[in-house]
Structure formats: C-alpha cells, structure tokens
Amino acid sequence: MGKIIKSLAIGTVFGVAMGMMILPELDRKTQRNIKKTSRKIMGAAGDAYDNILDYIY
C-alpha cells in the first residue's frame, strides 16, 4: 500500500512541475479552465482517498 501512495505522490509532483512550466505560455481563459478543473479533480481525489481509507479501516 505504501508503494502505491509513494508512486502517486511522485506522479503528482511531476505533474505539478510540468504544469508550472507549461501554464505561463497559455492564454488566460485556458489558464482559468485548467485551474478550475484541477480544483475539481483534487476534490474528487480527496473524496476517493477518504473512501479508500474508510474501506480499509
């Protein structure tokens, strides 16, 4: 289980780093859409994480 979480954390850090390099080159509308979508995804990921923890314990 720890190996999965470690892999997810590394992937998240890598994705954020790539996004930070690409985002400044996009127009404002696209930047807003990406930020809005990322907030939704983070919320869904947090809910899924909580559900998995509830299932495990």
Side-chain angles (χ1 to χ4, degrees):
M1 183 71 175
K3 191 173 186 180
I4 294 171
I5 293 173
K6 183 178 179 181
S7 298
L8 287 173
I10 291 171
T12 301
V13 170
F14 181 72
V16 168
M18 293 301 294
M20 288 172 54
M21 288 189 287
I22 294 170
L23 193 62
E25 297 177 11
L26 302 174
D27 63 343
R28 289 189 189 271
K29 183 178 178 184
T30 305
Q31 288 179 358
R32 277 183 273 151
N33 288 338
I34 289 172
K35 288 177 185 176
K36 187 168 79 172
T37 303
S38 67
R39 279 187 240 120
K40 288 181 184 178
I41 290 172
M42 289 299 292
D47 291 342
Y49 179 74
D50 290 339
N51 289 338
I52 289 170
L53 286 181
D54 290 341
Y55 179 74
I56 291 173
Y57 298 112

